[in-house]
Amino acid sequence: MTRRYRAGRKEEREPDSIYKKVQERTKKALPIRLTFSLFPCKIPNLLKSGGELADLGDLASLARMKEIALAVKKVYQPGLQLVILQDGYRFKNILNFPDFIIDEYQKTLLSFHKLLKAEEFIVLEDYTEVLNNKISPKKLKEKKALFKKI
C-alpha cells in the first residue's frame, strides 16, 4: 500500500513513455488500451454506502468510462479499451474482507457492466487471476520480489 508501489515505476508514468505506447497501438490501428486497478469491493463507510454490493456510484463510474470510450471512438475509430483489474482479492487480507463479499460485489459489478452493454469498451478482470494466469512466471516472480522489497 505504499505510495511508491501504488504509483508504479517512474519510467512507466513518464508522458513520453505513455505517448510511445499509444503511438504503437495507433500505428497498428488497434484500440488504445488503458489498464488500471479499481473496484476492490464496497469499503464499509456508513457515511457514504449502506451495504456491501456495488451501488449507483459504481454504476455511474462504469457509465462514465463507457462515455469516454465512445467519445474517443468518434475521433479514433479503433477506439479505447479500458481494462479494469478488480483488486478485491489483492487487498482482501489487508482490508479483512471475506471471499463472499468480494464475490458478490464482483457479480453485481458484472451485472452493471452487462446492463450498460460495455463489453466492447470495458474489460473486467480479477487482478489476482491475471497475475496467476495471464503473465509469465518470470514477470510474476519480479512482481512478488518488488512487493517484498517495498
Side-chain angles (χ1 to χ4, degrees), residues 63-85:
R64 181 68 173 142
M65 288 179 215
K66 181 179 176 183
E67 183 180 31
I68 292 167
L70 286 167
V72 169
K73 195 167 180 113
K74 285 186 178 186
V75 295
Y76 175 65
Q77 187 56 42
L80 174 68
Q81 183 182 51
L82 301 168
V83 179
I84 309 300
L85 301 175

Side-chain angles (χ1 to χ4, degrees), residues 45-135:
N45 179 342
L46 296 176
L47 296 174
K48 70 177 193 88
S49 62
E52 297 162 339
L53 299 179
D55 60 20
L56 290 176
D58 300 304
L59 177 63
S61 294
L62 288 173
R64 181 68 173 142
M65 288 179 215
K66 181 179 176 183
E67 183 180 31
I68 292 167
L70 286 167
V72 169
K73 195 167 180 113
K74 285 186 178 186
V75 295
Y76 175 65
Q77 187 56 42
L80 174 68
Q81 183 182 51
L82 301 168
V83 179
I84 309 300
L85 301 175
Q86 297 176 258
D87 51 8
Y89 281 105
R90 179 180 177 207
F91 295 119
K92 106 179 198 172
N93 294 331
I94 296 168
L95 300 171
N96 296 318
F97 288 122
D99 288 358
F100 78 90
I101 289 177
I102 298 168
D103 290 341
E104 290 304 312
Y105 178 88
Q106 288 184 352
K107 285 179 194 173
T108 305
L109 196 67
L110 185 59
S111 71
F112 291 165
H113 182 255
K114 288 179 182 177
L115 176 72
L116 292 169
K117 296 181 172 79
E119 294 88 351
E120 177 183 349
F121 308 106
I122 303 168
V123 176
L124 295 175
E125 303 234 27
D126 181 77
Y127 189 97
T128 56
E129 284 182 25
V130 170
L131 280 180
N132 293 325
N133 301 320
K134 294 189 178 184
I135 66 170

Side-chain angles (χ1 to χ4, degrees), residues 10-31:
K10 185 175 181 182
E11 60 271 13
E12 291 177 347
R13 296 181 281 127
E14 294 295 323
D16 288 341
S17 173
I18 295 168
Y19 176 76
K20 285 177 187 174
K21 289 176 184 178
V22 170
Q23 194 175 37
E24 287 172 16
R25 304 279 302 175
T26 57
K27 280 183 180 178
K28 295 176 184 176
L30 295 170

